[in-house]
Amino acid sequence: RMDQALLLVRNELPAPGLNLAARSGSCHQCLYQFLAFVPPSNESLRVPGTASVMVDTQHPLTLLLNSSVGDRDLCKIQYHFGEFGNYSLVVKTLSTSTQTVSCDLIINEGPINSYLPILFAFLVYMGILAILIAGRLLMKIDPVRNWVYKKLNPRATDRMINSELGSPNTTDSINCDPAPQPWSAGSRQRLRSLDTFRGISLVIMVFVNYGGGKYWFFKHESWNGKLHFPCALFSRFVFIMGTSIALALGSMLRWGSSKWKVLRKILWRSFVLILLGIIVVNPNYCLGPLSWDNLRIPGVLQRLGFTYLVVAALELLFTRADSGTWEGRFSALQDILPYWPQWIFILMLETIWLCLTFLLPVPDCPRGYLGPGGIGDFGKYPNCTGGAAGYIDRLLLGEKHMYQHPSSGVIYQSTMPYDPEGILGTINSIVLAFLGLQAGKITLFYKDQPKQIMSRFIIWGIVMGIISAILTKCSKEEGFIPINKNLWSISYVTTMSCFAFILLLLIYYLVDVKKWWSGAPFLYPGMNSILVYIGHQVFANYFPFKWKMQDSQSHAEHLTQNLTATTLWVVISYILYRRRIFWKI
């Protein structure tokens, strides 16, 4: 099967036989898991005992062979098997006098290169990009452009060529709400870098949710440590949502909306997001018709909705219609000091998270436990997945109303339900959105000063990176608070905000400052993010986003299907953009 190899164990030792166990290299402090019993050789017939097992190829494995009687370890081998490879492990005695045992690993049939489809897909997309760039350059040649004008509708073509390719005007939005005005009250221009940032995260998220070609590095990390692509996507959404809050609220107030009217809009949008998450985008549909018995209460949209409610309401209390220069002693901190009550509130929230995480007693679990449970920590705490975070969700929500298949179940074989969008982690999502809010304030307070904006993005990125280094001790497992997406640990928040500030800086420089890039094609889904996110979930199992494969064990077929589905949503968002259809809540 995909991500597996065949291992044939040949035992040339006499009785009593061998036990073969394995441990994944990505499983921290895990117990060895029994794979097979290898019978002893038949000395009279000189026939070795054999056993065949399937081994995982996603991560390096440590194989352990010991005697079935006495539990004496004979050999230990560390090896990273290749997909669809065929291997033999020969166990024999080198010296009968010293009872020295050798374990030799032999490659019978080499593995396939499962990464070639990624290279091929990359070349295809680069070819398409090259064609588009060449076409754009040709359109700058007068004879070519005039010929195109004659073939196409001249008026429509003029609008297409001369448009800014920016965000919709206030009259273009379906909900007829004023568009955010990041620069001035009279300006109709919008920061395209924000939509591009959001669109990049959304496109990758759609690809990953559709399967990511079934490659292991497009899946969520089992617990602590490495930040795969999926681990950063949701956090970028939360961050850029906070940035948009700062721009949108200031814009609405400058357009004359009262704070009570804005608060009603905040409450309505939060309610709709939470409702959509519970009713429309709910993974527990796979358990059968949705009912209260197995309704998953937390979720991505639910967390976005609640986070938006808290951060937007907090900002509404202190925002001003006129975001002019702050006349204070420390003018360099004009985007921070006037909002000191907000910072106190956020610090109080983080203190609550720290106290609950490290001081709350959890039955049958050590205080402050942050592990995955299951076979992790040498199997001492199998039912302690997530520590206080998991306990609070099980206590307040109930096990049936949580996510039933957490990523820790694959490697760590945990059996307890655990929800990565649970209650306790929402506190830190509010903190992350607040840091994104800070990015929005920077763009407001230093409007028309791109050097000031970029320098502050760099400073914030460095500060967040230093905090992450201190919290984690630059280690995957040994830090004070490891980076953990499932827990939404504070080190995860600071690390993701560090990356978000730097990425936003780069996109802002390319798109809004130098204008070397229009933001396409990521700009289009970024401007219709709610529609694309909900649509890709609702229509995930319908053609043309999914079809029956000839070989379900092929990365190439899965990658083709997932990339096709993702590209279709980009095309759909572009068509909606051209027709000026924008679904906003």
Side-chain angles (χ1 to χ4, degrees):
R1 295 177 62 86
M2 190 183 299
D3 297 323
Q4 288 184 340
L6 176 65
L7 176 63
L8 175 66
V9 184
R10 296 167 51 89
N11 180 17
E12 298 182 4
L13 304 181
L18 303 174
N19 288 329
L20 175 65
R23 182 175 65 191
S24 173
S26 65
C27 197
H28 180 63
Q29 294 184 343
C30 287
L31 297 171
Y32 280 93
Q33 298 302 295
F34 175 79
L35 292 182
F37 170 74
V38 187
S41 65
N42 189 324
E43 294 184 343
S44 60
L45 299 177
R46 294 185 178 180
V47 177
T50 60
S52 298
V53 293
M54 298 296 177
V55 292
D56 179 63
T57 62
Q58 299 182 54
H59 307 283
L61 290 181
T62 300
L63 300 177
L64 178 65
L65 275 168
N66 54 31
S67 174
S68 59
V69 176
D71 207 26
R72 180 172 68 94
D73 293 347
L74 298 179
C75 59
K76 184 185 294 185
I77 297 176
Q78 292 182 343
Y79 193 77
H80 195 166
F81 294 92
E83 187 174 17
F84 295 118
N86 189 318
Y87 303 85
S88 290
L89 180 59
V90 180
V91 184
K92 58 185 178 181
T93 303
L94 290 180
S95 172
T96 56
S97 59
T98 60
Q99 296 295 315
T100 303
V101 176
S102 72
C103 299
D104 300 321
L105 191 64
I106 302 172
I107 301 177
N108 301 323
E109 183 178 345
I112 66 169
N113 189 342
S114 58
Y115 303 120
L116 284 179
I118 296 179
L119 176 61
F120 181 76
F122 175 78
L123 295 176
V124 169
Y125 278 94
M126 287 299 101
I128 295 174
L129 178 62
I131 293 173
L132 292 176
I133 293 175
R136 193 174 185 87
L137 293 176
L138 286 174
M139 286 298 295
K140 293 182 179 180
I141 303 175
D142 290 340
V144 176
R145 185 170 62 251
N146 294 335
W147 181 83
V148 172
Y149 285 173
K150 293 179 182 179
K151 296 296 180 181
L152 299 177
N153 185 335
R155 293 182 180 179
T157 304
D158 287 343
R159 287 197 298 269
M160 177 183 69
I161 298 299
N162 296 327
S163 67
E164 290 280 338
L165 290 181
S167 298
N169 291 331
T170 56
T171 57
D172 298 327
S173 178
I174 285 180
N175 64 355
C176 297
D177 290 328
Q181 306 296 320
W183 300 108
S184 65
S187 172
R188 294 299 181 101
Q189 186 179 4
R190 173 170 169 165
L191 283 177
R192 282 183 276 181
S193 54
L194 301 186
D195 291 318
T196 305
F197 183 100
R198 187 187 298 111
I200 291 173
S201 302
L202 180 60
V203 168
I204 300 176
M205 179 181 285
V206 170
F207 171 67
V208 168
N209 287 347
Y210 277 148
K214 297 298 180 181
Y215 288 101
W216 65 270
F217 42 81
F218 287 131
K219 300 176 183 177
H220 290 290
E221 180 66 49
S222 294
W223 203 247
N224 293 336
K226 299 175 182 177
L227 296 174
H228 299 163
F229 280 110
C231 297
L233 301 178
F234 185 28
S235 64
R236 289 176 188 166
F237 261 100
V238 175
F239 181 90
I240 206 65
M241 180 180 68
T243 306
S244 301
I245 287 173
L247 303 178
L249 292 189
S251 172
M252 285 187 283
L253 293 176
R254 287 195 300 273
W255 277 86
S257 298
S258 67
K259 285 196 173 184
W260 284 110
K261 181 179 180 181
V262 175
L263 180 60
R264 287 195 297 269
K265 181 177 177 63
I266 291 171
L267 292 172
W268 171 251
R269 188 181 192 193
S270 302
F271 171 75
V272 173
L273 282 172
I274 293 172
L275 195 65
L276 287 172
I278 293 177
I279 296 178
V280 179
V281 185
N282 200 310
N284 280 13
Y285 273 120
C286 63
L287 301 177
L290 201 61
S291 68
W292 180 251
D293 292 337
N294 58 9
L295 180 72
R296 183 194 179 198
I297 297 177
V300 171
L301 290 181
Q302 296 92 308
R303 175 169 284 187
L304 283 175
F306 187 79
T307 301
Y308 173 81
L309 173 63
V310 175
V311 177
L314 184 65
E315 175 66 6
L316 184 63
L317 289 175
F318 299 96
T319 191
R320 297 172 295 171
D322 180 17
S323 58
T325 303
W326 180 60
E327 299 295 337
R329 186 174 180 181
F330 302 99
S331 59
L333 300 176
Q334 61 176 310
D335 54 327
I336 299 177
L337 292 183
Y339 303 95
W340 61 266
Q342 293 180 340
W343 285 95
I344 291 178
F345 178 79
I346 292 298
L347 291 175
M348 289 174 59
L349 277 184
E350 191 54 39
T351 302
I352 292 173
W353 183 85
L354 290 170
C355 290
L356 290 175
T357 299
F358 292 100
L359 300 180
L360 180 69
V362 179
D364 302 321
C365 301
R367 188 166 296 185
Y369 182 72
L370 299 176
I375 63 174
D377 300 293
F378 304 111
K380 295 178 182 179
Y381 317 111
N383 297 323
C384 295
T385 303
Y391 174 67
I392 290 174
D393 289 342
R394 292 190 293 270
L395 185 66
L396 299 181
L397 303 177
E399 293 187 3
K400 291 185 178 180
H401 300 292
M402 299 166 57
Y403 190 52
Q404 301 296 310
H405 307 287
S407 58
S408 59
V410 179
I411 298 296
Y412 290 94
Q413 301 181 22
S414 57
T415 57
M416 298 293 292
Y418 180 80
D419 209 304
E421 279 77 51
I423 297 172
L424 196 56
T426 303
I427 292 177
N428 279 341
S429 73
I430 293 172
V431 176
L432 181 58
F434 183 76
L435 292 171
L437 183 77
Q438 187 61 38
K441 290 177 181 177
I442 290 172
T443 61
L444 283 174
F445 279 96
Y446 301 98
K447 54 187 177 183
D448 301 324
Q449 301 180 61
K451 290 184 178 180
Q452 292 283 357
I453 292 174
M454 292 188 292
S455 64
R456 277 161 173 78
F457 283 174
I458 292 175
I459 292 172
W460 274 102
I462 293 174
V463 170
M464 291 296 106
I466 292 174
I467 294 175
S468 297
I470 294 173
L471 292 175
T472 62
K473 298 181 181 178
C474 298
S475 169
K476 176 181 177 180
E477 303 283 353
E478 306 302 328
F480 300 110
I481 303 178
I483 296 173
N484 190 297
K485 191 265 179 187
N486 286 283
L487 295 172
W488 270 69
S489 62
I490 184 60
S491 57
Y492 170 79
V493 168
T494 54
T495 303
M496 290 298 97
S497 60
C498 169
F499 293 158
F501 274 112
I502 300 303
L503 180 59
L504 183 57
L505 163 68
L506 295 175
I507 297 175
Y508 171 73
Y509 180 75
L510 293 174
V511 175
D512 288 312
V513 178
K514 290 296 184 180
K515 301 187 185 301
W516 290 338
W517 179 29
S518 68
F522 302 107
L523 175 75
Y524 313 124
M527 294 171 62
N528 248 323
S529 56
I530 296 296
L531 186 146
V532 172
Y533 180 80
I534 294 178
H536 99 275
Q537 293 274 11
V538 172
F539 297 102
N541 295 317
Y542 292 89
F543 183 84
F545 304 103
K546 191 174 184 179
W547 59 83
K548 186 177 180 180
M549 299 183 182
Q550 294 183 351
D551 183 6
S552 62
Q553 299 303 314
S554 167
H555 281 293
E557 285 204 43
H558 281 281
L559 186 64
T560 301
Q561 184 179 93
N562 302 154
L563 286 175
T564 300
T566 304
T567 304
L568 283 174
W569 281 112
V570 175
V571 173
I572 290 171
S573 63
Y574 173 71
I575 294 173
L576 294 175
Y577 172 85
R578 291 299 308 275
R579 294 181 177 272
R580 299 192 177 279
I581 299 174
F582 303 96
W583 184 33
K584 299 183 183 297
I585 299 174

